[in-house]
Amino acid sequence: MRIDPRSPAHLNTIAQEIRELANGLTLFTHNTPETAAFTAGARMKALGSMTEMLSNTLLYNLSGEPSADRAERRGAGALATAAVGTSQAMGHLAEALQQVAFLQEHATRRPGPDLADAQQAAWNVIGDHLDDARTALEDTATQMEFDTLHLTQPPRRPAPRRTVPTPQAQRPPTPVSVPTAPRRRPAP
């Protein structure tokens, strides 16, 4: 699918796909390294395809002369922001897979307290990285939806400058002339 950065429908579709990838990105109560690998690996593969699609669109739209179309420029910016978020999520998923590889590597070792502690720590790290990936994807989808709302909004023009009266308490003191010679009191 070719993404048209000017199209709110295309950008909303991307945001929805990102949100769907975030759903279900958690560890279950009874996990095995295989289920954790599938959870992280399948999302990473889907994000890789999405990142490729985003990068192709950005390469096409950002190389060469800037577009005169404001919506296209804003849409390209939204896609670039989405590419950042999906790449961060992929990094977290890769870290989770690294921990799954550790679990697999040590699965046949003789059980012991040190191994049990290391395995529990690996599961904690996997859970943390899956949570971080889910958060990155949810934040990216939310930002993409926000950017889509403002895709065709006209540029803001600065308000005309007006002089605002300064409150009395903020005004500098007014100089008062003080006589240098003593004054005489008037006669009663």
Side-chain angles (χ1 to χ4, degrees), residues 20-168:
E20 287 172 7
L21 287 171
N23 293 336
L25 194 54
T26 56
L27 283 179
F28 303 104
T29 54
H30 302 291
N31 280 302
T32 63
E34 294 80 17
T35 59
F38 180 77
T39 299
R43 295 298 195 298
M44 192 170 174
K45 182 178 179 182
L47 283 171
S49 298
M50 180 174 289
T51 302
E52 182 181 5
M53 184 174 53
L54 290 171
S55 63
N56 287 341
T57 302
L58 289 170
L59 181 62
Y60 177 79
N61 282 287
L62 297 178
S63 59
E65 292 295 316
S67 173
D69 185 0
R70 179 178 175 78
E72 186 173 352
R73 290 192 316 268
R74 280 187 166 193
L79 292 174
T81 301
V84 170
T86 56
S87 297
Q88 288 172 347
M90 284 181 64
H92 289 298
L93 294 172
E95 293 282 346
L97 288 173
Q98 183 181 27
Q99 294 301 312
V100 171
F102 169 82
L103 290 172
Q104 291 284 29
E105 179 183 348
H106 298 288
T108 58
R109 283 187 51 198
R110 188 173 342 151
D114 291 341
L115 180 59
D117 288 345
Q119 288 172 330
Q120 186 56 50
W123 280 112
N124 292 341
V125 171
I126 291 169
D128 290 345
H129 280 296
L130 292 181
D131 289 344
D132 291 344
R134 184 181 63 254
T135 300
L137 292 173
E138 288 170 349
D139 291 348
T140 300
T142 301
Q143 183 64 48
M144 185 78 138
E145 291 163 351
F146 178 79
D147 290 344
T148 301
L149 288 174
H150 301 287
L151 190 63
T152 57
Q153 190 177 39
R156 284 184 40 186
R157 296 202 169 106
R161 292 184 139 206
R162 295 183 183 137
T163 56
V164 178
T166 307
Q168 183 69 29

